[in-house]
Amino acid sequence: MNTPFKYRKHKFDEGEPLSPWREKIHEVIFEADTFAGKTFDVALIITIFVSVLAVMLDSVKVISVEYGSVLIAAEWAFTILFTIEYILRLISVRKPLQYAKSFYGVVDILSIIPTYLTLIIVDAKYFLIIRILRVLRIFRIFKLANYMGEASLMMNALRNSGTKISVFLYTVLMSVVVFGSLVYVIEGPENGFSSIPTSVYWAIVTLTTVGYGDISPQTPLGQFIASCIMILGYGLIAVPTGIYSAEITREVMKKKDVTNNACPACAYEGHDKDADYCKKCGTKL
């Protein structure tokens, strides 16, 4: 049976009940199924976008020269705002340390630290771009949790194909070392191949068909090897794609055997179609 979207409890929410005022803050900050909660989260996401835009504009020299002081003031205002919000998040959960160690907790703290670091390292402010990761909350705010299931499918496929892709990359690495060393012997420093690492760099650029052109073989034999590497590169590009596509196909086939119906007690999804009880908490479906 389908159940309405509901806030799913995390480890940092388990424990003794909070005091009324902390519960109220928790409802506004963490729960997106209330008017106050959704309003807060939408306002937060807009603020995050504006703050990231300010960081990006500050990196444009013309704008920085003209409006640098305004952008700096805005960034400090955003940082103070996000700092207060982070403190309120810690106050409004039952286990603040658990939240601080969670994915969103780490992203939250990383999104404010760079501004304070600018007091020591000027260019540290550009690391604030990580603040855009906080927008991931949009999946919860606008009830797009189903999209997370698709992302999980892709991650599972990538994890399952990791060993095969690692073997493939190891083979490629060995190939560019061999080809790079060979071209170094043939071309030599007089043609720009000043060392084996430089030649390996050239082999990587050639094998991946990027072709910067800063170094190129001058001898007929070197050019022949370069041609072979480029042709080999076109063949190799398809290999990891094929491996990953095969794993995605397997994951899709697995997904057909499960349902997206959520457990009414814990909101867990991914049960077998013929399941009568939740595989996580045991509640009757």
Side-chain angles (χ1 to χ4, degrees), residues 153-185:
L153 183 149
M154 297 181 69
M155 287 302 297
N156 288 337
L158 185 61
R159 193 179 300 110
N160 294 337
S161 60
T163 303
K164 298 173 186 175
I165 293 178
S166 297
V167 172
F168 166 76
L169 291 177
Y170 176 77
T171 303
V172 171
L173 179 61
M174 293 300 99
S175 299
V176 295
V177 171
V178 171
F179 280 124
S181 301
L182 184 59
V183 172
Y184 169 73
V185 173

Side-chain angles (χ1 to χ4, degrees), residues 188-265:
E190 61 273 13
N191 289 326
F193 294 84
S194 56
S195 64
I196 290 180
T198 301
S199 301
V200 170
Y201 154 77
W202 168 85
I204 293 172
V205 169
T206 305
L207 186 69
T208 55
T209 69
V210 175
Y212 289 131
D214 52 344
I215 308 173
S216 59
Q218 303 300 315
T219 65
L221 183 56
Q223 291 170 352
F224 172 75
I225 293 175
S227 301
C228 292
I229 295 175
M230 284 183 275
I231 293 172
L232 179 62
Y234 276 109
L236 291 177
I237 288 173
V239 175
T241 305
I243 294 172
Y244 184 54
S245 299
E247 290 297 336
I248 285 183
T249 302
R250 291 193 185 96
E251 289 295 324
V252 170
M253 295 305 294
K254 289 179 184 178
K255 192 173 181 181
K256 288 182 178 179
D257 296 328
V258 299
T259 176
N260 287 328
N261 292 342
C263 170

Side-chain angles (χ1 to χ4, degrees), residues 88-102:
L88 289 176
R89 286 185 182 275
L90 295 179
I91 290 174
S92 62
V93 294
R94 292 168 176 79
K95 297 180 180 179
L97 186 59
Q98 282 284 353
Y99 175 76
K101 294 189 295 183
S102 69

Side-chain angles (χ1 to χ4, degrees), residues 50-118:
V50 174
S51 68
V52 170
L53 179 62
V55 175
M56 295 172 68
L57 291 176
D58 190 46
S59 67
V60 180
K61 188 173 182 180
V62 176
I63 297 176
S64 180
V65 170
E66 186 72 20
Y67 302 102
S69 58
V70 175
L71 292 172
I72 291 173
E75 185 45 54
W76 274 103
F78 286 131
T79 299
I80 292 172
L81 192 64
F82 291 139
T83 302
I84 294 172
E85 180 225 346
Y86 179 70
I87 293 172
L88 289 176
R89 286 185 182 275
L90 295 179
I91 290 174
S92 62
V93 294
R94 292 168 176 79
K95 297 180 180 179
L97 186 59
Q98 282 284 353
Y99 175 76
K101 294 189 295 183
S102 69
F103 172 77
Y104 283 121
V106 172
V107 171
D108 288 346
I109 192 66
L110 289 179
S111 70
I112 60 178
I113 286 178
T115 302
Y116 296 110
L117 284 179
T118 57

Side-chain angles (χ1 to χ4, degrees), residues 112-129:
I112 60 178
I113 286 178
T115 302
Y116 296 110
L117 284 179
T118 57
L119 299 174
I120 305 172
I121 307 171
V122 177
D123 290 337
K125 60 185 177 182
Y126 297 118
F127 289 112
L128 287 169
I129 211 71

